[in-house]
Amino acid sequence: MARLFVTGGHGMVGSNLRAHPGIAAWQVLAPARAELDLCDAVALRDWLARHRPDAVVHAAGVVGGIQANMAEPLRYLAENARIGLNLITACREIGVPVLLNLSSSCVYPRDLHRDLAEEQILTGPLEPSNEGYALAKIMAMRLVDHACRENPALQWRTLIPCNLYGPFDTFDPGRSHLLPAIIHKIHRARIEGRDRVEIWGDGQARREFMHAGDLADAILRALADPSAVPAVMNVGPGVDHAIEDYYRIVAGVVGWQGRFVHDLGKPVGMRRKLLSVARQAAWGWAPRIGLAEGIAATYAWYLEQQP
């Protein structure tokens, strides 16, 4: 059975990938950070030389929402850059034939707003609130690209998913992304009997979200035939919603009936960030989990984790 090394195998993406029925085709290697620190270049290279995986999915990274990125910009740039550099150069040294590098939609210029096509990367300034993370992801993408130029036999690809949510996500308000933060906030409002929930900004900024189980499905399809995958490809539904819409959908799922108030002094990041999915459509794949269905399943998982 072919061996698959999943970095970040215990994070949201890695956990959803390992939970997907299609993963049974692989022998999965997913060491936790205590077993393998990706920031340790020597340890990582030695580990790869011992285990010789047939394919790698690079899903590891230091991740967080706007608050976390703004509070620790140096960490988000330095640690993510180090992880990407260590992993990709070690895979090249060892000769890993298949690598799927997972990037982020924050690599796109801040002023494009919609129809963000893969060829537009590095054509304009980045969103300042997560620039460090974006630069690290761009560097990893370019490392993959340069490795393939030097060795065209490598089946290395970069997937750029839109914003993700789902089981195994982080719901801590200090570190979470938008949708898990909304779920936690509205759940607490219901439990505590509060009739108001605050939204940062006017709620009209738009975001595109995909359930992490759908990304797992795309990853497994790409692993089955990496030669058919474009060198760089967006992955998402190609549809976005206003932030206030997400609050309303979550409120309906949670069963909270209060009202929303807006803090117009808080940062909201890019006003819109909608990926073009033309390459994905040509590849013949699309997400299947609807937004309300996915949020309900995520909320059920969240409730299971409560003490």
Side-chain angles (χ1 to χ4, degrees), residues 31 49 52 60 77 169 187-188 191 222 294 297 300 306:
R52 298 278 173 179
L77 172 55
D169 208 340
H187 171 77
R188 295 309 307 171
I191 294 300
Q306 301 306 301

Side-chain angles (χ1 to χ4, degrees), residues 190-209:
R190 185 178 69 81
I191 294 300
E192 295 164 10
R194 288 187 280 114
D195 64 354
R196 300 197 311 167
V197 163
E198 180 185 272
I199 298 177
W200 282 22
D202 62 7
Q204 297 310 302
R206 301 182 71 82
R207 290 294 180 268
E208 177 184 17
F209 273 92

Side-chain angles (χ1 to χ4, degrees), residues 271-282:
R271 295 297 296 177
R272 196 175 193 190
K273 187 168 59 173
L274 179 62
L275 300 180
S276 165
V277 292
R279 292 187 187 182
Q280 173 189 287

